[in-house]
Amino acid sequence: MALVVVGLWSCHALPGQLPAPAAAPDWASALPATHEALSAALAALSAGGQSQASSLARGGALRGYLADLAQRGPLSHPELFPTDESVLAYLVDAHVAWAFALGQASRFSKLGVDGLREEPITIDGRISCLRALMEELAWRAPWEPRLALFLNAGWRGGPPLPTSAVEGRSLDWQLTLQAERCGRSSGFWTLDAPGKRLGVSAYTELMWGLPNSQPARARRLLDLVPPPDALREAVIAACGASLQHCVVVPTPLDTSRLFTPPGVRR
């Protein structure tokens, strides 16, 4: 699952397989970007699971949000995205919204998540895909590997989706909050103290801007994506301050689909 940044903004699938959402109103480009529809779907997903979030998606609000993403963004309307953080937040929200929408689409019910990552989508007047959005974020913010923790394309074993849309003005705070949620999630960190084995989610192989070799990579992750305090203390006690006394192993990722279209059995 290693991330290789090549061919930015290009996707293997042929353009046009997934039609762009219905166009947003003509006056939408004059308004500041809003994220109520995405935040509502994420809140419903967090509180009530996929079925509750799906009902919101079928109501049309999320389709309207996707339509807005399709026609405007940092390239077409730079005046609406004056900071680097606002551009990064736009790309993260586009990935989150489309990951949910693709997972809900009946026509893609037979695809695995790797296939969904290659499906063409329309973003800011151009054809992209989930994989290309991740690569673009890595290119734009090579110093911020925590951005990858927002970018679960729909793997059941991936990091939890955020509980609300990401905004540029609060990006630093939301990055910290998301990293803490991921570090506390089941299976992200595991420790076999007697066996001197430290496990970390294989999803971290998709995170950029980290040391290539172990245990330096895991040591950096321990600071960026911290486990609960008690587990962190146990890790340091068993593995040493630099984790040099433990073998670091990737915890296998459940790559089955987190989302399935309504009416389709898992």
Side-chain angles (χ1 to χ4, degrees):
M1 292 180 61
L3 175 65
V4 180
V5 182
V6 294
L8 285 175
W9 312 302
S10 64
C11 301
H12 297 318
L14 293 175
Q17 290 185 8
L18 187 68
D26 292 340
W27 41 261
S29 61
L31 300 177
T34 59
H35 309 285
E36 287 86 351
L38 179 58
S39 290
L42 291 171
L45 186 65
S46 177
Q50 183 185 346
S51 60
Q52 186 171 334
S54 296
S55 65
L56 284 177
R58 290 194 300 271
L62 190 60
R63 289 196 299 273
Y65 181 74
L66 294 174
D68 193 43
L69 291 176
Q71 79 163 16
R72 69 172 178 177
L75 294 178
S76 60
H77 295 80
E79 71 281 0
L80 299 177
F81 303 90
T83 66
D84 290 342
E85 291 78 11
S86 62
V87 174
L88 296 176
Y90 170 89
L91 294 170
V92 167
D93 287 334
H95 189 287
V96 171
W98 270 110
F100 182 64
L102 290 170
Q104 293 284 300
S106 298
R107 64 187 300 183
F108 302 132
S109 62
K110 303 296 185 182
L111 283 182
V113 178
D114 288 346
L116 293 176
R117 292 183 79 212
E118 298 296 332
E119 281 301 320
I121 56 179
T122 305
I123 299 291
D124 197 8
R126 59 188 168 95
I127 298 297
S128 186
C129 61
L130 295 181
R131 174 191 51 77
L133 288 178
M134 176 178 261
E135 291 176 352
E136 184 173 352
L137 280 158
W139 176 76
R140 287 181 178 273
W143 64 90
E144 188 45 89
R146 294 177 299 172
L147 283 169
L149 298 173
F150 289 115
L151 307 180
N152 182 357
W155 291 292
R156 182 174 292 278
L161 292 179
T163 55
S164 65
V166 175
E167 298 195 38
R169 61 191 176 189
S170 58
L171 181 59
D172 286 343
W173 172 77
Q174 288 180 289
L175 279 167
T176 299
L177 181 64
Q178 179 70 358
E180 290 174 350
R181 290 182 69 222
C182 291
R184 294 194 302 266
S185 63
S186 176
F188 193 94
W189 292 101
T190 59
L191 174 66
D192 174 8
K196 298 293 185 179
R197 290 171 64 89
L198 176 63
V200 62
S201 171
Y203 183 86
T204 59
E205 295 174 12
L206 290 175
M207 296 177 68
W208 57 86
L210 297 169
N212 290 325
S213 61
Q214 299 289 12
R217 187 179 182 91
R219 186 62 187 84
R220 181 64 177 138
L221 282 167
L222 200 67
D223 291 333
L224 288 175
V225 195
D229 290 342
L231 179 54
R232 179 186 172 87
E233 291 173 5
V235 167
I236 298 299
C239 303
S242 299
L243 308 184
Q244 71 272 22
H245 301 311
C246 285
V247 174
V248 179
V249 295
T251 303
L253 183 69
D254 182 352
T255 57
S256 62
R257 285 179 54 154
L258 175 63
F259 302 122
T260 53
V264 176
R265 293 185 178 181
R266 293 183 183 275

